[in-house]
Structure formats: C-alpha cells, structure tokens
C-alpha cells in the first residue's frame, strides 16, 4: 500500500472529480525483450505515440498522464501532447509493480484535489488498440456501471490441456479427463491482453488491484491484442498496420 491507507481514502471522496476519466500510461526506460521499446520507431513513429494519440482522440478521456523516469521518454511524451509525472527510480525497476506506479499517479492527483472518478491504464506496448476500441470499452463499462473492466481475448490454447512439470515429469494442470475432452465441453476461457484496464479510482486505492469484483470483460480480437515484447511482435504490428493503411481502414 502507498502513503494513503484504505481508511484514509474515503476522507477524500469529496475531492473526486465526478465523471472525469484519466488515462495513465506507464513507460519506463528499461526493457528486456526489446531495447528502448517504448520510444522505438514503429512505421516511423515512436511506439508510445500510438497510445498517447488513442487517448487524446478518445472523446471520453479528459487527461492523459505518462509516468516515466526516463528523460527521453518524457520529451517524446510532452511533444506528443501528454502530461508527464516523474516516476521515482524505485518504481522503475524490473521488480516494481504496475499497481505501485498507478498508485503514485493517483496519489499525486489526490494531493492536488484532482482525483478522477475513473482511470484507464494503457500500456504503450499495445499500439493496435486505437481510439475506437478505447471508446467502445469505456462506453460499455459506463453503461454497465462497472467499477472494473479488463480487456480480454480468446486463449490460443485451452489451459485445461496444459501440463506442469513436477519432479521432471508431466502432470495435468487440471485433470486427466480434461486432456482428451473436446474444447466445446470445457469452460469458456479468455486471457487478459494487457491493452485496457478501466477502473474506479477510489476502489483501486482501497484494494490496490486491477482486478476488482465483479469485473466486466471487454472482448478484443486477437489481431488488435498484440502486446509487444519481442522483435517478432514489432514485425507483426508493422505488417498489420500496413495492411490496415492499404485497405484505408
């Protein structure tokens, strides 16, 4: 938990900016899979710009804040039109949690009396999530009066058909019977794709989690659910963006 404990948050409910939605984009300088990926050029444009532009073009979002410790990312973000909050270096390590990063942004807003009623967490590694997808997600969440909405996509392989390795041997993750069951007889399973997390700010500050029950799913197609983590993801995104441009979509 941060400096504001759950019991303290309720004292600030009167400072919540009703019906205001803040986009939070976490973008640290370090990355393992792809060097400096948040500002690497994707079809000539820094990767982070795709997410900043999606937030700026979404009519339901009031502010967009990039959280970073990196001066180059800060400059790119400011030039793209986003606000920037300087992230403490201890929140920019490989072990720092996204929850702590978001809490840092919301607590700063809270101290200034600018806590938004809702925030949407947008990772810059999901460049194919455009303003239309973002608007659809927020609209569906507000219509359902959901405190938590998470973007998901269908799993490529059902987890009940997976194994874990114990003492060097395969053991069914679920049970022996599930391994041979037709997919249609197994529970409908989706996975979070990392593109959108839409939450009520006060609930997040109380629970310090991006999963708050009851959580509403927002379904996204696999071809817009790519989360850039490897070089091949960049190549795939470039191909999909070029195809989209060719078709004039």
């Amino acid at each position: 938990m941060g400096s504001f404990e759950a019991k303290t948050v309720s004292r600030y409910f009167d400072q919540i900016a009703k019906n205001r939605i803040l986009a939070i984009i976490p973008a640290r300088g370090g990355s393992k899979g792809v060097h400096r990926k948040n500002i690497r050029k994707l079809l000539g444009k820094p990767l982070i710009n795709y997410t900043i532009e999606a937030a700026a073009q979404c009519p339901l979002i009031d502010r967009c804040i990039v959280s970073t410790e990196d001066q180059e990312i800060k400059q790119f973000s400011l030039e793209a039109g986003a606000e920037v909050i300087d992230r403490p270096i201890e929140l920019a390590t490989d072990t720092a949690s996204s929850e702590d990063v978001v809490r840092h942004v919301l607590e700063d807003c809270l101290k200034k009396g600018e806590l938004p009623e809702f925030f949407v967490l947008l990772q810059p590694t999901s460049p194919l999530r455009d303003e239309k997808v973002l608007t659809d997600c927020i609209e569906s969440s507000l219509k359902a009066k959901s405190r938590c909405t998470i973007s998901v996509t269908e799993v490529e392989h059902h987890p009940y058909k997976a194994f874990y390795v114990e003492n060097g041997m395969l053991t069914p993750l679920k049970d022996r019977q599930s391994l041979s069951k037709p997919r249609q007889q197994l529970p409908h399973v989706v996975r979070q794709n990392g593109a959108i997390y839409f939450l009520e700010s006060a609930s997040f500050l109380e629970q310090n989690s991006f999963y708050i029950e009851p959580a509403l799913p927002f379904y996204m197609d696999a071809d817009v659910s790519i989360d850039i983590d490897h070089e091949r993801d960049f190549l795939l995104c470039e191909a999909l963006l070029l195809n989209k441009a060719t078709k004039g979509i």
Side-chain angles (χ1 to χ4, degrees):
M1 297 289 288
S3 58
F4 290 92
E5 297 297 333
K7 62 181 180 180
T8 306
V9 174
S10 61
R11 301 178 186 176
Y12 292 84
F13 279 174
D14 60 344
Q15 295 188 37
I16 292 176
K18 294 295 183 181
N19 302 317
R20 301 284 286 183
I21 299 174
L22 167 67
I24 300 176
I25 303 175
R28 69 188 183 97
S31 58
K32 288 185 175 181
V34 179
H35 180 65
R36 304 286 289 166
K37 66 181 176 183
N38 286 323
I39 53 175
R40 176 166 165 176
K41 296 292 181 66
L42 176 63
L43 293 186
K45 183 163 57 178
L47 180 64
I48 195 171
N49 283 39
Y50 287 88
T51 295
I52 293 174
E53 290 171 7
Q57 294 168 14
C58 174
L60 301 176
I61 291 177
D62 302 288
R63 297 178 66 189
C64 176
I65 295 178
V66 172
S67 168
T68 187
E69 88 298 354
D70 187 275
Q71 289 303 306
E72 192 174 12
I73 292 178
K74 179 177 182 178
Q75 188 60 36
F76 273 99
S77 300
L78 291 171
E79 291 174 357
E83 300 176 49
V84 174
I85 185 170
D86 293 319
R87 188 192 303 190
I89 194 65
E90 63 268 20
L91 295 182
T93 65
D94 290 339
T95 57
S97 72
S98 296
E99 288 85 355
D100 286 343
V101 172
V102 169
R103 174 172 288 274
H104 174 252
V105 175
L106 292 180
E107 287 185 350
D108 184 73
C109 292
L110 189 57
K111 290 173 184 176
K112 297 174 181 177
E114 302 170 348
L115 183 68
E117 185 171 6
F118 300 97
F119 74 89
V120 56
L121 174 63
L122 305 173
Q123 301 186 96
T125 48
S126 299
L128 301 181
R129 172 248 300 114
D130 60 17
E131 70 278 3
K132 183 181 184 306
V133 172
L134 184 52
T135 301
D136 288 346
C137 177
I138 295 176
E139 283 183 341
S140 64
S141 184
L142 293 175
K143 184 177 180 180
K145 297 182 179 180
S146 171
R147 294 188 302 156
C148 172
T149 300
I150 300 174
S151 62
V152 298
T153 190
E154 300 289 337
V155 294
E156 292 80 3
H157 304 283
H158 201 287
Y160 281 17
K161 292 185 175 293
F163 298 91
Y164 65 91
V165 178
E166 186 175 44
N167 298 322
M169 305 301 288
L170 295 175
T171 301
L173 182 64
K174 173 63 176 174
D175 52 43
R176 182 193 303 267
Q177 293 74 24
S178 296
L179 295 175
S180 57
K181 280 185 179 179
R183 186 183 181 98
Q184 294 77 8
Q185 294 181 16
L186 298 175
H188 181 211
V189 177
V190 296
R191 64 171 178 84
Q192 55 187 337
N193 64 3
I196 307 172
Y197 295 86
F198 183 75
L199 291 100
E200 186 181 61
S201 299
S203 294
F204 172 83
L205 287 171
E206 288 180 333
Q207 299 191 33
N208 204 50
S209 174
F210 297 124
Y211 174 71
I212 297 173
E213 296 181 294
L216 182 73
F218 176 74
Y219 294 90
M220 290 174 58
D221 292 336
D223 59 357
V224 292
S225 295
I226 299 172
D227 180 20
I228 291 183
D229 196 38
H230 301 283
E231 289 290 339
R232 63 176 178 271
D233 300 325
F234 260 100
L235 296 175
L236 182 54
C237 277
E238 286 181 346
L240 290 170
L241 286 169
L242 286 171
N243 183 59
K244 182 178 179 180
T246 300
K247 292 181 177 179
I249 299 175

